[in-house]
Amino acid sequence: GQNIDQPTEMTATEGAIVQINCTYQTSGFNGLFWYQQHAGEAPTFLSYNVLDGLEEKGRFSSFLSRSKGYSYLLLKELQMKDSASYLCAVRGRYNQGGKLIFGQGTELSVKP
Amino acid sequence: GAVVSQHPSRVICKSGTSVKIECRSLDFQATTMFWYRQFPKQSLMLMATSNEGSKATYEQGVEKDKFLINHASLTLSTLTVTSAHPEDSSFYICSAATNGEQYFGPGTRLTVT
């Protein structure tokens, strides 16, 4: 079966650091994605991991451990505009059409 | 680059009617497009994978006769919600794949009255 778990909601303070965790159990794995989604809008791409380790991109970093089925998204120097839903998604094997399976999303609230 | 558009952005229709939603890749060709549905405060649920020139592959629990998908060209896929009911009211999002990446359209808000 396919199962992707994230916390439903988190709260953090402006200027702080927050880590959003994602665990997954899928029948195939060909990469893990993080997306940001503001209410009423489509998701926007943040990061992609296919090998173990940390990928850094400005204020955002994402980590992957394939053996543990675990990833996290790290947001530094939080800004009010970072308040959004953060979606973890796993891409299946190529022969599964490369489709993405999404977690339920983590609603992040950044407070002053 | 890699822009995906959807039309319409919002649509209100009466129960029992059909609605067509278009998804276009504007500056690239997409052999594969995906259709998602998102209910309020929930995540994206994949409905179907659309491949150019062939039948769509539907996810378990998605009625293929109700949600008709056509992918007639490398830049256009359409989703038709037939005999719409209020429970079909949702946010429908498409994505187009190129070079291993998926690019999302802006979404279509469907309200069935």
Side-chain angles (χ1 to χ4, degrees):
Chain A
Q2 319 265 50
N3 193 41
I4 301 175
D5 282 323
Q6 315 176 224
T8 305
E9 48 188 29
M10 299 181 71
T11 302
T13 305
E14 192 176 16
I17 299 173
V18 71
Q19 177 174 312
I20 303 174
N21 296 324
C22 171
T23 58
Y24 64 90
Q25 290 177 306
T26 56
S27 58
F29 180 84
N30 191 20
L32 187 142
F33 295 77
W34 284 95
Y35 289 86
Q36 180 191 63
Q37 186 181 28
H38 286 99
E41 299 179 10
T44 54
F45 171 79
L46 289 179
S47 71
Y48 167 65
N49 296 68
V50 67
L51 299 176
D52 291 351
L54 188 68
E55 292 284 340
E56 296 186 82
K57 208 176 190 181
R59 294 191 299 118
F60 298 86
S61 303
S62 57
F63 171 83
L64 175 67
S65 169
R66 288 171 297 170
S67 62
K68 295 181 179 178
Y70 168 70
S71 173
Y72 68 72
L73 178 70
L74 195 71
L75 293 78
K76 303 175 186 175
E77 300 170 17
L78 281 173
Q79 302 174 8
M80 298 299 289
K81 67 178 183 179
D82 296 330
S83 292
S85 183
Y86 290 85
L87 308 173
C88 170
V90 172
R91 181 166 62 190
R93 289 188 297 266
Y94 181 77
N95 62 0
Q96 294 174 335
K99 63 185 183 184
L100 291 177
I101 304 299
F102 282 83
Q104 71 269 31
T106 298
E107 191 69 35
L108 173 66
S109 297
V110 179
K111 301 195 180 300
Chain B
V3 178
V4 177
S5 71
Q6 277 184 247
H7 178 79
S9 57
R10 290 178 179 272
V11 57
I12 301 172
C13 71
K14 292 187 177 179
S15 189
T17 62
S18 295
V19 173
K20 180 185 284 189
I21 302 170
E22 293 185 348
C23 177
R24 293 181 186 272
S25 56
L26 298 184
D27 50 3
F28 64 99
Q29 294 183 328
T31 53
T32 304
M33 291 185 174
F34 302 89
W35 286 96
Y36 297 85
R37 181 169 50 181
Q38 186 176 35
F39 292 106
K41 298 205 177 290
Q42 294 186 25
S43 192
L44 279 73
M45 295 296 294
L46 180 66
M47 298 175 68
T49 302
S50 170
N51 294 299
E52 187 265 338
S54 64
K55 290 183 179 179
T57 303
Y58 290 81
E59 294 299 302
Q60 194 171 9
V62 178
E63 301 173 59
K64 61 180 181 182
D65 294 329
K66 180 172 179 62
F67 298 99
L68 302 179
I69 291 173
N70 183 279
H71 194 156
S73 78
L74 288 171
T75 59
L76 174 64
S77 176
T78 61
L79 168 69
T80 301
V81 183
T82 63
S83 187
H85 290 283
E87 56 264 31
D88 297 323
S89 298
S90 188
F91 193 46
Y92 291 85
I93 306 174
C94 73
S95 70
T98 183
N99 295 327
E101 303 300 330
Q102 281 193 38
Y103 299 90
F104 287 86
T108 296
R109 175 76 58 192
L110 170 64
T111 302
V112 185
T113 60

